[in-house]
Amino acid sequence: MATSGESLLAACGGDTVKLFDVSVETGDPCAFHYTPTSSCQVNCAKWNHTNLVVASAGEDRKISLWMKNGQTVGAVPQSGNDAGDYVDLDYNPQGPPSFALQLVQRTLEESLGSVQRAIHEDVQNLHLELLRQFHIQQTEMGSLMNSVLEKQSDLMKEVKALRRENEQLRQLL
């Protein structure tokens, strides 16, 4: 697996894409390799503009995307009739959206989808926690209200008894 400090070179040959660490002086410089589709020739491998994702295209008529740490981003079937000889990852703001831009948009949508699901789950958990807290408060308020009502009933009984006693004392005087 490649680390963020390595200088990597992407190359393809046969059915394999390899990432080479050009800073390795001894040993095997191959940091990572993958085969997008077994037995299908890979014709092109190219880094994106941030050098974080490598794209490859070939006879399988798919564009495969990989992070430089070895994590797959996905594969997208190609449109059109060419056999995947070239991957254009350049953005042209004047022209129609390029395939690469559509691919990046799809990748972002997938990534944002997982973030959206995580946020949705967090909001659901927050709602459940709020409902639980409200239920606890409702139970506590109910018991406090019952206690207040009982005390009020006792006080009303005491007031009635004091009024009767007061009437009796008035009648005696």
Side-chain angles (χ1 to χ4, degrees):
M1 300 293 164
T3 62
S4 60
E6 295 175 337
S7 300
L8 297 176
L9 169 71
C12 61
D15 64 354
T16 305
V17 175
K18 292 185 178 184
L19 304 183
F20 294 97
D21 182 357
V22 296
S23 65
V24 171
E25 294 181 21
T26 60
D28 186 7
C30 184
F32 178 70
H33 64 90
Y34 65 94
T35 303
T37 303
S38 184
S39 302
C40 286
Q41 182 78 23
V42 178
N43 299 325
C44 180
K46 186 174 179 182
W47 288 100
N48 72 337
H49 70 283
T50 62
N51 291 330
L52 295 176
V53 177
V54 66
S56 64
E59 291 176 350
D60 62 356
R61 303 194 47 76
K62 294 180 183 175
I63 295 178
S64 300
L65 298 175
W66 294 81
M67 302 290 287
K68 70 179 182 180
N69 65 2
Q71 178 183 2
T72 182
V73 176
V76 180
Q78 282 187 306
S79 61
N81 294 327
D82 81 303
D85 292 335
Y86 181 70
V87 178
D88 181 14
L89 293 180
D90 297 325
Y91 172 63
N92 180 3
Q94 277 74 30
S98 68
F99 179 76
L101 180 60
Q102 292 172 2
L103 187 62
V104 168
Q105 286 174 335
R106 180 172 172 242
T107 303
L108 282 173
E109 286 170 0
E110 289 175 358
S111 298
L112 292 176
S114 64
V115 170
Q116 183 182 18
R117 286 188 293 278
I119 289 172
H120 178 73
E121 185 178 312
D122 288 345
V123 168
Q124 269 186 327
N125 290 337
L126 181 62
H127 285 160
L128 289 174
E129 180 61 22
L130 283 172
L131 289 173
R132 188 181 75 78
Q133 291 292 331
F134 286 144
H135 179 72
I136 290 170
Q137 286 179 351
Q138 184 181 22
T139 304
E140 289 176 6
M141 291 297 288
S143 67
L144 286 173
M145 186 59 93
N146 287 337
S147 174
V148 166
L149 289 174
E150 286 175 12
K151 289 179 182 179
Q152 183 183 13
S153 176
D154 290 344
L155 287 173
M156 292 300 290
K157 289 177 185 175
E158 187 177 344
V159 165
K160 283 183 184 179
L162 288 172
R163 282 187 181 156
R164 269 186 260 132
E165 185 180 337
N166 193 7
E167 268 311 307
Q168 289 173 355
L169 288 173
R170 282 187 189 166
Q171 287 176 0
L172 288 175
L173 291 174

